Amino acid sequence: MAYTEKNITRIIVREAARDWDEIAETDVVVVGAGPAGLTAAYYLRNSGLDVVVFERRLSFGGGIGGGGMLFHKIVIEEEAREIAEEFEMKIKEIDSNLYAVDTSDFLAKLSYHAVESGAKILLGVTVDDVIFRPDPLRITGVLIQWSAVQISGLHVDPLMVESKAVVDATGHDAEVISVASRKIPELDIVVYGEKSAYSEVSEKLVVEKTGKVAEGLYAAGMAVSAVHGLPRMGPIFGGMLLSGKKVAEQISQDIKG
């Protein structure tokens, strides 16, 4: 079949435009396609909510790919085994409650299942601000920009996406919540920053503290550690899976009742 370059361009632009027209209003925006964000997206979609994930890089996985100091393995604990098996990960029991996983398998299975669930995942898009409403005070969406524009240093106004909930799954700096706490002081959010490593305690606390930070704004994964001043845990990722699932369940309950 004959085709021309203009047809390639038209297909890309038209199909992308259709997606963006739908994305402009969605149920949930997840910021960050790391382990917590991808897990949250999967369970949110399974609950029937529309989800878009914005990832500033051109790849999935957040901190998964580097494993532990570039060794190609990570660890999950027994509490997260059921989730890992739901994602069809190939896990190997090492101790009574610890399992080893190849980073590539972990990353690929998370990404595959999140995409197959119907979550829309857009790479190369940075969230640099939020939308809010004062009465009642709540977060109602995000401002987005191409990562390449930010890297170039150009001043280009962003576009905006409205949502019923925003999940900060950006990792160690809790970037979205940090912006909201600085720009909307009436939210009364304090971002304490994460502490040094204490893996066992952190894995438990990050799940315990996962959830709503302000109306419409939620923390998952390492963003939870940053917001609440929790220890970091290193290359053990069970807490990230559990945190992603927990935040999805809370948002589903908050939105659907």
Side-chain angles (χ1 to χ4, degrees), residues 29-35 37-38 52-63 120-127 144-148 169-171 175:
V29 169
V30 176
V31 188
L38 290 173
V52 59
V53 180
F54 294 120
E55 167 57 50
R56 66 167 50 190
R57 297 189 291 184
L58 296 177
S59 59
F60 297 102
K120 180 64 68 175
I121 304 177
L122 296 182
L123 306 177
V125 178
T126 296
V127 171
I144 55 173
Q145 183 57 270
W146 300 119
S147 299
T170 61
E175 296 172 13

Side-chain angles (χ1 to χ4, degrees), residues 128-130 132 143 177-187:
D128 66 3
D129 206 345
V130 297
F132 79 103
L143 276 66
I177 294 171
S178 294
V179 168
S181 70
R182 185 176 72 252
K183 290 193 170 186
I184 316 171
E186 54 267 40
L187 288 173

Side-chain angles (χ1 to χ4, degrees), residues 115-172:
V115 171
E116 283 298 296
S117 73
K120 180 64 68 175
I121 304 177
L122 296 182
L123 306 177
V125 178
T126 296
V127 171
D128 66 3
D129 206 345
V130 297
I131 306 168
F132 79 103
R133 295 292 183 268
D135 188 21
L137 183 61
R138 64 200 188 279
I139 302 303
T140 60
V142 297
L143 276 66
I144 55 173
Q145 183 57 270
W146 300 119
S147 299
V149 170
Q150 290 202 332
I151 292 168
S152 73
L154 293 172
H155 174 75
V156 179
D157 279 326
L159 289 177
M160 292 155 283
V161 174
E162 293 187 12
S163 65
K164 299 171 184 174
V166 175
V167 180
D168 186 336
T170 61
H172 297 268

